[in-house]
């Protein structure tokens, strides 16, 4: 009985002891603070804010220009603060900063809070990197063409546009003048003027010429849309067009998008185009075969044939469809590469989505053309001026995609083409396909031909 009583007493003692110890420990453990969005953001500073942590006596504030805090803004490494906010001063305008905070009592320090990103207002005094894109792209381990979408009227010798194009870009694609609608005015009748000017410009200046695009549902001339012949005669018209155009540019154009956008956006289906309707499911293969035959007959045995499409990184059924098309072409040895348009936004696709998409082409041993890159920053029409946040977010996105592209194996690289030079000339806000309301700033140069941070991001992607 005595022993039992003693046992109960001892366990009671231990229990009380450990319970009270636990209480002390809980009380002594400082929670990490929650950092809040900044206030009073100005050109050279902002007010950093965070929540109260019980038992804390002060806070330690870190401010950095990088998210990982590998370096600190001078004076802001574990800066002691006794309030729940601090005005951070002495910063550079138009620049991204990050802050985080820890709570402290006498001796104890909590873990880190969440990290808050803030971009100071005003234009950054930090000059953009003036290095020419193609100069840097030619120096990487496995170089590739840096391409630009052009219009014939922009190619006036000595213009600002012409100078930048020659300095920075090593490939061109016609933005629309090498499509079927502008070239083919009637059966067997061609208007070569604008397309010839573009091709001659590339050839004369040592710039690669990518042909875009032989067959596209959005550039079918009216005479062909209204064609009253049989389906077999329709196919012969398409064959004649492809043959004549490829022959005309044989030896002058290095590569062609033979078929553009044949996959539908829904359900991984084939797009229900006039070509599918009139020529049947084998039409893509037929078009590639006709292009190949015409090139060979004209003595150009190294013409590269591409299939080109968009939104395959985010739309997986569509991606699957595109790779089914490609597998089919590959089985007949008719395709050399895939064009990924990449009309992206500052939020999408993610790095992983792009990598997965491109890697499917790598495993098939195909050349990869990022063929129409632009990065929207106002796809939801929520800004009316190009804000610093969006400017820097866009810079990161350009950097990311260039980095992904540059990391591809040498054999899979071809060109990375940007779809337009100046923001104010981009197709994005005017496109009928995109339904983009409001303005946007998707490119590498502003309306005065000044390089943007996106251009610096492009260069940084080549590091
Ligand atoms: C766009 C051009 O940028 C516009 O100027 C033209 O009016 C319509 O075509 N996918 C493509 C490109 O393959 O050819 C399109 O270019 C954009 C979408």
């Amino acid at each position: 009985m005595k022993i039992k009583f003693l046992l109960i007493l001892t366990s009671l003692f231990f229990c009380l002891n450990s319970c009270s110890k636990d209480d002390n420990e809980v009380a002594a453990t400082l929670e990490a603070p929650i950092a809040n969005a900044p206030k009073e953001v100005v050109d050279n500073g902002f007010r950093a804010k965070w929540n109260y942590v019980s038992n804390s006596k002060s806070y330690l504030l870190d401010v950095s220009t990088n998210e990982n805090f590998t370096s600190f803004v001078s004076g802001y490494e574990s800066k002691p603060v006794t309030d729940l906010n601090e005005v951070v001063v002495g910063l550079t305008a138009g620049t991204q900063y990050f802050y985080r905070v820890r709570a402290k009592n006498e001796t104890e320090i909590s873990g880190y809070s969440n990290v808050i990103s803030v971009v100071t207002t005003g234009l950054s005094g930090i000059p953009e990197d003036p290095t020419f894109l193609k100069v840097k792209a030619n120096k990487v381990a496995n170089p590739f063409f840096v391409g630009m979408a052009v219009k014939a009227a922009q190619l006036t010798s000595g213009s600002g546009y012409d100078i930048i194009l020659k300095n920075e870009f090593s490939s061109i694609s016609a933005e629309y003048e090498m499509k079927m609608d502008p070239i083919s005015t009637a059966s067997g009748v061609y208007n070569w003027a604008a397309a010839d000017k573009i091709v001659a410009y590339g050839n004369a200046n040592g710039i690669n010429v990518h042909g875009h695009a032989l067959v596209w549902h959005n550039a079918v001339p009216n005479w062909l849309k209204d064609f009253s012949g049989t389906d077999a005669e329709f196919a012969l018209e398409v064959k004649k067009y492809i043959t004549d155009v490829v022959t005309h540019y044989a030896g002058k154009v290095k590569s062609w998008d033979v078929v553009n956008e044949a996959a539908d956006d829904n359900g991984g289906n084939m797009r229900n185009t006039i070509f599918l309707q009139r020529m049947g499911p084998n039409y893509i293969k037929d078009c590639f075969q006709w292009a190949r035959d015409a090139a060979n007959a004209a003595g150009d045995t190294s013409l590269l044939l591409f299939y080109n499409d968009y939104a395959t990184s985010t739309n997986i059924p569509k991606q699957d469809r595109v790779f089914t098309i490609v597998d089919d072409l590959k089985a007949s040895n008719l395709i050399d590469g895939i064009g990924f348009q990449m009309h992206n936004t500052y939020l999408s696709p993610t790095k992983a989505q792009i990598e997965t998409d491109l890697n499917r082409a790598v495993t098939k041993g195909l050349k990869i053309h990022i063929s129409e890159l632009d990065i929207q920053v106002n796809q939801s029409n929520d800004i009316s001026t190009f804000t610093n946040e969006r400017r820097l977010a866009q810079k990161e996105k350009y950097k990311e995609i260039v980095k992904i592209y540059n990391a591809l194996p040498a054999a899979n690289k071809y060109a990375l083409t940007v779809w337009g030079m100046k923001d104010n000339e981009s197709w994005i806000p005017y496109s009928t396909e995109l339904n983009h309301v409001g303005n946007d700033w998707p490119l590498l140069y502003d309306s005065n031909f000044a390089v943007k941070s996106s251009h610096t991001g492009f260069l940084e992607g080549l590091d």
Side-chain angles (χ1 to χ4, degrees), residues 151 174-176 179 212-213 216 257 260-261 308 310 341 343 372 419 426-428 433:
K151 300 174 190 138
E175 191 168 343
Y176 56 80
K179 292 168 184 166
H212 174 78
W216 185 34
D257 289 331
N260 191 29
E261 303 183 354
N308 194 53
Y310 67 89
Q341 292 186 12
H343 296 293
E372 305 180 16
W419 207 243
S426 166
W427 75 297
I428 296 283
E433 296 95 348

Side-chain angles (χ1 to χ4, degrees), residues 118-401:
V118 50
V119 179
T120 48
T121 56
L123 277 186
S124 166
I126 305 168
E128 303 298 348
D129 183 344
T131 306
F132 296 142
L133 300 175
K134 79 168 173 198
V135 171
K136 193 160 179 184
N138 284 337
K139 284 187 189 152
V140 301
N142 302 306
F144 56 91
F145 293 130
V146 182
M148 173 52 59
V150 303
K151 300 174 190 138
Q154 293 169 317
L155 304 178
T156 313
S157 183
S159 66
Y161 186 97
D162 166 65
I163 292 166
I164 292 177
L165 190 56
K166 286 174 186 158
N167 281 340
E168 301 234 54
F169 296 91
S170 42
S171 180
I172 49 176
S173 303
E175 191 168 343
Y176 56 80
E177 287 148 317
M178 290 175 78
K179 292 168 184 166
M180 194 189 267
D181 186 19
I183 289 185
S184 172
T185 51
S187 171
V189 182
Y190 304 107
N191 177 5
W192 302 113
D196 278 0
K197 188 173 171 189
I198 291 171
V199 175
Y201 180 93
N203 291 168
N205 294 297
I207 297 173
N208 181 68
V209 182
H210 173 70
H212 174 78
L214 293 169
V215 170
W216 185 34
H217 66 278
N218 261 343
V220 183
N222 283 336
W223 72 264
L224 191 61
K225 269 187 200 154
D226 302 337
F227 187 72
S228 57
T230 64
D231 289 349
E233 286 163 346
F234 180 97
L236 281 176
E237 291 296 342
V238 175
K239 179 180 181 183
K240 180 158 71 177
Y241 175 78
I242 290 175
T243 306
D244 289 350
V245 175
V246 170
T247 307
H248 185 78
Y249 291 117
K252 297 175 177 164
V253 165
K254 180 79 198 151
S255 49
W256 270 106
D257 289 331
V258 180
V259 176
N260 191 29
E261 303 183 354
D264 197 68
D265 290 330
N266 295 308
N269 295 316
M270 289 291 290
R271 190 185 290 274
N272 189 18
T273 66
I274 190 172
F275 303 104
L276 181 68
Q277 289 160 11
R278 301 210 84 183
M279 297 162 68
N282 266 335
Y283 87 90
I284 300 177
K285 233 153 75 180
D286 290 342
C287 292
F288 274 74
Q289 187 69 60
W290 297 328
R292 179 65 76 214
D293 291 347
N296 288 341
D300 181 359
T301 51
S302 54
L303 181 69
L304 300 173
L305 303 184
F306 281 76
Y307 174 80
N308 194 53
D309 217 322
Y310 67 89
T312 52
S313 301
T314 47
N315 184 338
I316 301 306
K318 186 171 181 178
Q319 183 183 114
D320 290 341
R321 166 56 62 187
V322 165
F323 281 98
T324 304
I325 292 171
V326 161
D327 283 345
D328 196 30
L329 289 165
K330 187 131 178 54
S332 305
N333 202 19
L334 284 171
I335 187 171
D336 301 289
I338 311 189
F340 298 85
Q341 292 186 12
M342 299 285 178
H343 296 293
N344 295 349
T345 77
Y346 74 105
L347 297 172
S348 171
T350 63
K351 179 171 181 271
Q353 287 171 325
I354 296 171
E355 282 173 340
T356 305
D357 198 9
L358 301 192
N359 280 336
R360 286 183 78 170
V362 170
T363 57
K364 297 186 188 300
L366 291 164
K367 293 205 180 300
I368 294 173
H369 185 194
I370 290 189
S371 54
E372 305 180 16
L373 178 63
D374 43 31
I375 301 183
Q376 299 164 46
V377 295
N378 195 26
Q379 69 277 12
S380 310
N381 198 22
D382 58 344
I383 52 172
S384 53
T385 57
F386 187 36
T387 64
N388 280 316
E389 272 88 356
R390 295 291 159 86
R391 177 174 64 78
L392 293 171
Q394 183 186 54
K395 176 185 178 182
E396 287 310 306
K397 229 42 198 162
Y398 265 100
K399 181 175 171 176
E400 177 182 275
I401 196 160

Side-chain angles (χ1 to χ4, degrees), residues 21-30 55:
K21 227 185 195 166
D22 269 3
D23 282 351
N24 281 340
E25 265 170 21
V26 167
T29 304
L30 278 178
N55 294 319

Side-chain angles (χ1 to χ4, degrees), residues 388-454:
N388 280 316
E389 272 88 356
R390 295 291 159 86
R391 177 174 64 78
L392 293 171
Q394 183 186 54
K395 176 185 178 182
E396 287 310 306
K397 229 42 198 162
Y398 265 100
K399 181 175 171 176
E400 177 182 275
I401 196 160
V402 171
K403 217 173 177 164
I404 294 170
Y405 190 82
N406 193 28
L408 293 173
N412 303 100
K413 280 176 165 175
Y414 179 54
L416 194 166
T417 298
V418 185
W419 207 243
M421 190 180 280
K422 299 196 296 176
D423 280 342
N424 60 316
E425 290 176 350
S426 166
W427 75 297
I428 296 283
Y430 308 102
S431 112
T432 41
E433 296 95 348
L434 288 179
N435 248 329
H436 183 295
V437 276
N439 205 356
D440 214 312
W441 299 266
L443 299 172
L444 301 178
Y445 304 80
D446 71 12
S447 55
N448 298 315
F449 288 115
V451 285
K452 294 167 54 193
S453 301
S454 49

